[in-house]
Amino acid sequence: MHEFDDHDSIILCQSCDLAVRKRALPSSARALCPRCHTALYDSPYCSINGMLALCVAALIIFIPANLLPVLEIHFLGSVRTTTVLQAAVTVWAEGYWVVGLAVMVAAVIAPGLLILSIMAQVVIVKLKLHNSFWQRTYTTLLKNHGLISQMTMLEIYVISFLVSAFQLSDFSDVYFGMGTFSFTMLFIIILFLQREYNLEHMWSYVDA
Amino acid sequence: MPSTPITPSNEHIVDSTKQTANTDNEAKTEVLPHIQGKKIGLCLCPVCRKLNVTSNSHCRRCFSQLSSRNYASIQQSWALLVTATILLVVANIYPITLLTNRGVVTNDTIFSGISHLVKTGMFPIAIIVFTASILVPWLKIFGLATYLTAISFNLPISKRKLMVGFHIIEWIGRWSMLDLFVISLTVALVNMGQLLDAKPAPAATAFALVILLTQLAAKVLDTRLLWDRLENTNDTN
């Protein structure tokens, strides 16, 4: 395996396959491909304890964010409320299960999986669980991380609260509930969690 | 605008996006002049991005299957894109919501919903909805089509600009989901029988599929294929 020693200083651009010699970067800097400007690598670091704290906070706020009403309308004396989960289920029940499924995955399932996945990875790294079952789980979680984080669309949902509220205010009184607050907090926590998380750093635990 | 030919640059472009931009921190690196990984028998693992030698069949870190290039990805991407285009036309023609207001039923298409917003004077919201549900899907389809045509027919379009466009498309594509979220919230809230009632309509499913298919088309595509032509032909960058 001598050839790998040679090649560890080279990196390939994932978008255009250009070979670039790798070298140390100053912290908080990111190397871009000189040919197509795709991000190549940065100094991989993430705080395991910080991520664990964010995961716990996200898990706690996840429950009210999905169970408390997010919007409330008053129309001629009748009041209607809805939660994020209920909104998805209603569309599904109307027969538009593709739409219902898309909403449910993007707003409920993927964020939940993302939190659980990062939490499991952090715990495995922190407790140094080295036997083959945990290592396999760890690799599987890392392989699927990109997909799960791409399906998490909390930021779009937060904007959609505003858009719906304005649209409905045309014919009724609209109020935000505690769910809106919890959901926005969940979005902010996951935003910081994703900023802190570094996939390449997490993979480096497998290399060692 | 004429594009400049590639000169082997001795500098890495370092982007200090995270904090404290520092121009002195530019890392100087030796760029091997235009060597594709394929030429020197190296490739990245498609799953975990570990550097591998092409002669290995599986990644040495995550054991996924390796491939130097995915040539079928152009066809797959075209197929997904054509399907998405057909569905996007459907999504724009058919009504996306059905609103009953005091016994009067109105079908709203994506466009009529936006023009209603403009009429009631909610311009900022109208702009957001227009961007998310009309501009972004069409931009994505035209952008991807340009990108795929450039690969398939080797068009002399600046590869760097195409790549920048591709990254923008990848990032902005998710925002089309906004419309579906708004529909699901509205349908769940507005259910007061003949008085005031909102229901989803067929275009909603088509629109959801458009988002799914265009995201897949961008994800499936192996962008390295665009850059392969560089050595073969006397091409611009």
Side-chain angles (χ1 to χ4, degrees):
Chain A
M1 295 277 161
H2 302 297
E3 47 189 343
F4 287 149
D5 304 339
D6 232 347
H7 289 149
D8 272 344
S9 61
I10 292 178
I11 190 165
L12 298 179
C13 173
Q14 50 153 325
S15 297
C16 76
D17 208 28
L18 182 74
V20 177
R21 190 145 285 159
K22 201 174 174 178
R23 53 167 296 162
L25 283 181
S27 63
S28 80
R30 187 168 64 155
L32 301 185
C33 173
R35 186 163 71 173
C36 73
H37 294 206
T38 306
L40 289 179
Y41 61 96
D42 45 23
S43 26
Y45 175 74
C46 48
S47 146
I48 294 290
N49 288 329
M51 285 202 296
L52 188 59
L54 285 169
C55 280
V56 173
L59 266 189
I60 294 170
I61 205 87
F62 186 78
I63 297 158
N66 284 294
L67 294 183
L68 293 182
V70 286
L71 281 176
E72 190 178 303
I73 63 166
H74 297 211
F75 180 72
L76 301 177
S78 55
V79 177
R80 294 286 188 277
T81 62
T82 186
T83 66
V84 173
L85 193 61
Q86 206 186 330
V89 172
T90 314
V91 183
W92 192 313
E94 294 277 353
Y96 292 86
W97 61 269
V98 177
V99 182
L101 189 67
V103 174
M104 205 182 284
V105 166
V108 182
I109 297 172
L113 285 178
L114 185 75
I115 301 168
L116 291 176
S117 158
I118 294 181
M119 194 148 177
Q121 292 166 30
V122 167
V123 167
I124 289 172
V125 168
K126 210 169 154 51
L127 301 181
K128 301 192 173 60
L129 302 168
H130 278 316
N131 69 46
S132 70
F133 169 74
W134 290 112
Q135 284 304 310
R136 261 206 317 275
T137 315
Y138 188 72
T139 318
T140 314
L141 289 176
L142 288 186
K143 280 187 187 178
N144 290 308
H145 179 83
L147 183 66
I148 296 175
S149 74
Q150 218 178 23
M151 288 193 302
T152 305
M153 302 185 184
L154 296 178
E155 73 278 25
I156 304 167
Y157 212 108
V158 170
I159 301 292
S160 80
F161 289 145
L162 283 178
V163 174
S164 324
F166 273 98
Q167 282 192 346
L168 293 170
S169 69
D170 196 17
F171 31 68
S172 61
D173 296 333
V174 184
Y175 300 93
F176 289 110
M178 267 310 278
T180 324
F181 172 73
S182 311
F183 203 90
T184 312
M185 287 313 288
L186 179 68
F187 154 63
I188 292 171
I189 293 171
I190 289 198
L191 185 74
F192 278 97
L193 187 59
Q194 281 179 317
R195 268 178 70 102
E196 189 65 37
Y197 187 91
N198 186 305
L199 192 59
E200 194 46 46
H201 181 76
M202 297 311 273
W203 271 117
S204 70
Y205 289 103
V206 180
D207 287 335
Chain B
M1 191 180 140
S3 38
T4 50
I6 275 201
T7 47
S9 142
N10 281 338
E11 266 174 54
H12 243 315
I13 298 150
V14 174
D15 179 14
S16 326
T17 43
K18 285 186 180 168
Q19 283 150 16
T20 55
N22 197 342
T23 40
D24 303 336
N25 275 350
E26 285 213 349
K28 303 263 189 260
T29 359
E30 188 190 338
V31 178
L32 315 169
H34 293 195
I35 294 180
Q36 307 261 108
K38 197 182 163 195
K39 272 253 170 82
I40 47 178
L42 296 174
C43 65
L44 287 190
C45 168
V47 178
C48 77
R49 308 245 163 91
K50 180 82 179 170
L51 191 74
N52 280 277
V53 284
T54 320
S55 51
N56 288 2
S57 63
H58 291 85
C59 172
R60 61 187 161 124
R61 179 158 74 179
C62 72
F63 308 109
S64 313
Q65 191 155 16
L66 295 173
S67 81
S68 181
R69 293 288 185 278
N70 182 4
Y71 292 102
S73 74
I74 296 187
Q75 284 186 36
Q76 291 163 357
S77 202
W78 267 122
L80 290 166
L81 191 66
V82 170
T83 321
T85 314
I86 297 168
L87 281 168
L88 186 55
V89 173
V90 172
N92 274 289
I93 293 173
Y94 282 89
I96 198 160
T97 48
L98 220 127
L99 186 75
T100 313
N101 193 353
R102 279 156 220 188
V104 184
V105 182
T106 40
N107 287 314
D108 261 327
T109 61
I110 294 176
F111 191 76
S112 73
I114 294 166
S115 60
H116 181 74
L117 279 176
V118 173
K119 261 178 234 153
T120 44
M122 291 187 265
F123 289 110
I125 299 293
I127 290 168
I128 294 175
V129 178
F130 178 78
T131 311
S133 20
I134 293 188
L135 204 60
V136 168
W138 283 111
L139 212 66
K140 239 172 101 166
I141 282 181
F142 280 119
L144 273 175
T146 316
Y147 197 94
L148 286 170
T149 324
I151 300 181
S152 299
F153 302 105
N154 202 8
L155 296 183
I157 306 174
S158 160
K159 288 185 167 53
R160 190 169 293 169
K161 278 183 198 133
L162 280 176
M163 207 64 222
V164 170
F166 189 78
H167 288 313
I168 294 173
I169 286 170
E170 261 187 327
W171 181 81
I172 209 172
R174 335 152 26 87
W175 283 89
S176 310
M177 280 295 284
L178 184 80
D179 217 26
L180 295 184
F181 291 151
V182 171
I183 290 172
S184 87
L185 282 172
T186 314
V187 167
L189 279 172
V190 183
N191 53 348
M192 298 156 197
Q194 286 292 67
L195 216 51
L196 190 65
D197 191 45
K199 288 216 178 324
T205 301
F207 196 73
L209 290 174
V210 169
I211 300 168
L212 178 72
L213 293 176
T214 46
Q215 288 295 85
L216 270 180
K219 206 173 157 59
V220 155
L221 185 65
D222 189 343
T223 52
R224 295 173 297 186
L225 291 169
L226 176 72
W227 297 84
D228 278 348
R229 301 259 159 79
L230 212 64
E231 299 118 68
N232 307 344
T233 55
N234 201 2
D235 207 346
T236 55
N237 61 334

